[in-house]
Amino acid sequence: MNLEELTKMYDFSDRTVVITGGAGILGGEMACALVGCCANVAILDRAPELADRLIDRFEGGPGRAIVVYADVLKPDTLRNAEQVIQTEFNSSVNMLINAAGGNSPKATTSEELPFFDLPEQALRFVFDLNLMGTFLSSQVFARGMAELGEGVIVNMSSMNAIRPLTRIPAYSAAKAAVTNFTQWLAVYMAMEHSPHIRVNAIAPGFFLTEQNRFLLTNPDTGELTERGRTILEHTPMNRFGDPEDLLGTLLWLLSPASAFVTGVVVPVDGGFSAFSGV
Ligand SMILES: NC(=O)c1ccc[n+]([C@@H]2O[C@H](COP(=O)([O-])OP(=O)(O)OC[C@H]3O[C@@H](n4cnc5c(N)ncnc54)[C@H](OP(=O)(O)O)[C@@H]3O)[C@@H](O)[C@H]2O)c1
């Protein structure tokens, strides 16, 4: 191995990558990095106009990005998106990043809303978005990988899959299920289809984005809530993550540099999961 060979591993020319929830904060950063590494990137989102904020960053290439409507809970829209991608890039999908996900304030306990009263609909929404969204997208795009005999899937788990966080029981359980499904699918794809299809996940620590801002900061003052402060006290690096902090791990998991890695969940958390609090 030398520097040239190493660098080549991170050249994604002629690779087609789908990112569900790719108009979001973390998925959007991933999309920009992959365009920078020469990939064909398809951003799938139910609110594709959100990706407009990224357009300037795509224009410099060297890869290409397209934005395609898809709802990860509607398999027809995922299959339609697959057709659009095939036509636009003249290529099958080689890599899938399942980044659509999130929590809901209605599925979050508080003094006014105890566990017993969490609405069923809100709980189902969170389970569906995180678990079924990952399942259904994997069913649609992994089929093509099975036909090609190669591919990579990266799921988004979370710290709360390791140990649940207070107040967000549905999101914690759903992400624990994403971790479990990552392991299941890794074994299934390698043993039933091809050892060149790998499935892994990233477990991000705490990144301030739209899905958790209401829990971590005060909407009026922008200052940290008590929960936000507690998280920082339990993060040895004493800061929230920046979306770019995920890129090294993501590119490694997508690249041949991790050719013998499947079924793992990599924490990117500033040390949160390693710290006992003492
Ligand atoms: N931020 C963190 O600290 C953190 C930590 C651990 C794990 N994660 C995970 O990382 C992933 C990305 O999170 P993020 O922080 O970047 O959140 P985000 O900014 O809210 O991005 C999520 C994206 O998914 C889209 N989406 C929601 N429902 C969808 C559906 N049914 N079909 C297609 N797209 C849909 C959202 O669109 P809308 O705006 O229309 O809803 C949004 O563009 C999620 O799985 C999240 O759970 C985040």
Side-chain angles (χ1 to χ4, degrees):
M1 171 79 70
N2 58 39
L3 185 58
E4 194 184 333
E5 286 165 346
L6 181 68
T7 312
K8 209 168 178 327
M9 287 189 178
Y10 291 90
D11 178 347
F12 291 94
S13 298
D14 302 324
R15 306 270 89 186
T16 294
V17 188
V18 166
I19 310 180
T20 70
I25 302 288
L26 302 183
E29 196 62 34
M30 293 172 179
C32 292
L34 283 159
V35 168
C37 292
C38 304
N40 295 324
V41 178
I43 291 178
L44 267 54
D45 211 287
R46 63 177 184 171
E49 64 280 2
L50 285 178
D52 287 350
R53 67 188 168 80
L54 304 168
I55 297 290
D56 289 350
R57 293 174 67 189
F58 293 145
E59 273 169 1
R64 272 187 65 203
I66 57 171
V67 183
V68 186
Y69 168 80
D71 184 328
V72 293
L73 299 178
K74 296 182 180 155
D76 285 356
T77 67
L78 293 165
R79 283 190 284 269
N80 285 344
E82 190 183 27
Q83 294 297 319
V84 173
I85 294 163
Q86 173 74 45
T87 306
E88 284 287 324
F89 291 140
N90 195 22
S91 155
S92 304
V93 172
N94 307 107
M95 300 173 182
L96 168 66
I97 302 168
N98 281 310
N103 186 34
S104 160
K106 291 182 188 148
T108 304
T109 65
S110 62
E111 275 179 27
E112 302 76 46
L113 187 60
F115 165 73
F116 315 105
D117 298 332
L118 290 173
E120 178 186 339
Q121 207 182 0
L123 299 175
R124 288 192 190 281
F125 167 82
V126 173
F127 283 123
D128 279 354
L129 174 56
N130 291 283
L131 181 58
M132 287 306 290
T134 301
F135 242 91
L136 296 172
S137 304
S138 299
Q139 281 185 307
V140 170
F141 293 106
R143 188 190 292 275
M145 294 178 194
E147 284 161 12
L148 285 175
E150 62 162 34
V152 186
I153 298 176
V154 176
N155 294 329
M156 295 300 281
S157 185
S158 170
M159 279 301 102
N160 54 45
I162 305 169
R163 271 182 306 167
L165 301 182
T166 58
R167 299 190 56 194
I168 49 174
Y171 185 62
S172 296
K175 288 300 193 187
V178 168
T179 286
N180 184 285
F181 174 59
T182 299
Q183 295 170 318
W184 186 89
L185 192 62
V187 172
Y188 172 79
M189 294 306 281
M191 294 182 73
E192 301 288 331
H193 292 286
S194 164
H196 304 296
I197 302 174
R198 301 182 297 107
V199 185
N200 294 293
I202 297 175
F206 297 87
F207 294 68
L208 256 189
T209 63
E210 297 323 312
Q211 62 164 276
N212 57 19
R213 203 174 297 279
F214 74 99
L215 277 170
L216 304 183
T217 58
N218 181 317
D220 301 324
T221 63
E223 286 179 8
L224 287 178
T225 58
E226 192 183 338
R227 186 181 180 90
R229 282 196 299 277
T230 305
I231 284 169
L232 288 189
E233 282 162 17
H234 286 75
T235 302
M237 291 186 175
N238 194 32
R239 67 171 174 89
F240 293 117
D242 291 322
E244 307 90 76
D245 288 325
L246 297 176
L247 299 179
T249 305
L250 175 80
L251 296 175
W252 172 66
L253 287 174
L254 292 176
S255 79
S258 60
F260 198 46
V261 178
T262 198
V264 307
V265 182
V266 184
V268 181
D269 64 348
F272 182 90
S273 57
F275 184 40
S276 69
V278 178

